[in-house]
Amino acid sequence: MSAIPLHRCPDLEIKLDTPKGRGVFATKDIPAKTVVDVCTVLVLGLEENALYVGRTALYHYTYNWPVADESGKKRIAQAVVFGLGSMFNHSTQEQNVSWERNAEHEIITYRALRDIRAGEELCISYGSRLTFKDTDAPTPPPPEEEMEQLLQIQLE
């Protein structure tokens, strides 16, 4: 498997050929609550996002970011995250990294949610509105099995 060592984050590497594409992996054990990275962001203008970025592949790598428009009304813009922030893959079941937005300083801090073992991929949650098929999502039962389960619940 191809890997790029990261000099700024020596306990992490980017693997290029995982089932999810590129991904960030631990090269050493990382204790829970460890700050994994702090990334700056570039907040895009509302119009810029609507007219240009929202129509490109870059949009899938941006984060929602709270801003105020000219009238002071709160709106949601998009922010491009520099550093590892745009490299973390999504996981519904195996999320092991949290992220905290600091809108005032335009940074995001990533922190280990639990102990992460060497060789493990670091994953965050992208939230519920995914623009791709979630490879981690539990497979729903076939309709006939689901109906049988519902009938059993009603009988009990």
Side-chain angles (χ1 to χ4, degrees), residues 35-39 98-102 107-111:
V35 171
V36 175
D37 200 6
V38 177
C39 300
S98 67
W99 58 277
E100 182 178 353
R101 174 181 22 234
N102 181 322
I107 60 171
I108 297 177
T109 301
Y110 297 89
R111 191 179 306 273

Side-chain angles (χ1 to χ4, degrees), residues 2 25 52 65 70 75 91 98-99 103 116 131 134:
S2 301
F25 287 77
Y52 306 108
W65 201 266
E70 307 82 42
R75 305 277 307 272
S91 180
S98 67
W99 58 277
I116 300 171
T131 59
D134 187 352

Side-chain angles (χ1 to χ4, degrees), residues 17-28:
D17 47 3
T18 77
K20 294 179 181 180
R22 292 178 295 209
V24 180
F25 287 77
T27 57
K28 295 181 181 173

Side-chain angles (χ1 to χ4, degrees), residues 29-120:
D29 292 348
I30 301 171
K33 300 183 182 178
T34 299
V35 171
V36 175
D37 200 6
V38 177
C39 300
T40 58
V41 302
L42 171 65
V43 180
L44 304 172
L46 295 169
E47 187 174 305
E48 178 181 28
N49 185 64
L51 293 175
Y52 306 108
V53 178
R55 300 173 186 203
T56 69
L58 178 61
Y59 178 76
H60 301 287
Y61 292 88
T62 61
Y63 284 47
N64 291 338
W65 201 266
V67 296
D69 65 14
E70 307 82 42
S71 66
K73 182 179 175 187
K74 292 194 183 230
R75 305 277 307 272
I76 298 296
Q78 297 299 308
V80 176
V81 183
F82 298 108
L84 292 178
S86 61
M87 298 303 301
F88 293 117
N89 283 320
H90 166 78
S91 180
T92 302
Q93 306 295 314
E94 301 296 326
Q95 177 187 162
N96 54 13
V97 174
S98 67
W99 58 277
E100 182 178 353
R101 174 181 22 234
N102 181 322
E104 180 184 353
H105 293 105
E106 297 185 345
I107 60 171
I108 297 177
T109 301
Y110 297 89
R111 191 179 306 273
L113 284 170
R114 58 168 174 76
D115 291 343
I116 300 171
R117 295 181 2 181
E120 190 176 349

